[in-house]
Amino acid sequence: MSIQDIIEGKKQWRAHLARVKALPPDYQIVYKEMQKYLFKVGPVSLSDGPLLPGIVDFFEEGVAAGKGVLELIGTDVAAFCDDLIKDSPTYADAYQESISGGSDAARK
């Protein structure tokens, strides 16, 4: 990764955060909780993938439609996030694989 890539990544992240800050307060709170949850259990490609910008797009559409954030995602933020990443490999999956892979090799 070059210096230029790092600078471009920071610019994109700042633009992303500016979009989040433009959301209504209730949307910002839920977004931050989702982000916190996804950074703990989320997919391996979270930092460079389309998931977080996609959530902001979805929230911006909800704001434009005049809907509350809980109307969009329901009351269980974790369940909503789990549904978003259900088909994506997570760090937990990679860890489980490394453990089970190692124990299979030891048994042989």
Side-chain angles (χ1 to χ4, degrees):
M1 180 179 275
S2 71
I3 297 289
Q4 192 61 33
D5 292 339
I6 294 170
I7 292 170
E8 187 59 34
K10 284 188 175 193
K11 284 181 186 177
Q12 289 175 355
W13 184 249
R14 286 185 186 124
H16 173 78
L17 291 179
R19 289 178 62 204
V20 172
K21 288 180 182 179
L23 294 169
D26 56 337
Y27 277 84
Q28 287 182 43
I29 291 167
V30 171
Y31 174 84
K32 288 176 185 171
E33 289 302 313
M34 291 174 74
Q35 182 184 31
K36 191 182 330 178
Y37 181 80
L38 290 169
F39 279 141
K40 282 184 187 173
V41 301
V44 175
S45 64
L46 181 64
S47 61
D48 60 353
L51 183 60
L52 294 176
I55 292 170
V56 176
D57 292 341
F58 180 60
F59 281 4
E60 288 171 340
E61 291 170 13
V63 170
K67 294 185 177 185
V69 68
L70 296 182
E71 287 179 75
L72 295 176
I73 68 161
T75 57
D76 190 342
V77 174
F80 182 81
C81 291
D82 287 341
D83 195 42
L84 287 176
I85 62 170
K86 68 182 174 207
D87 296 326
S88 302
T90 64
Y91 287 110
D93 295 336
Y95 179 71
Q96 261 325 88
E97 233 176 76
S98 73
I99 291 174
S100 64
S103 62
D104 288 345
R107 281 187 232 155
K108 291 181 180 179

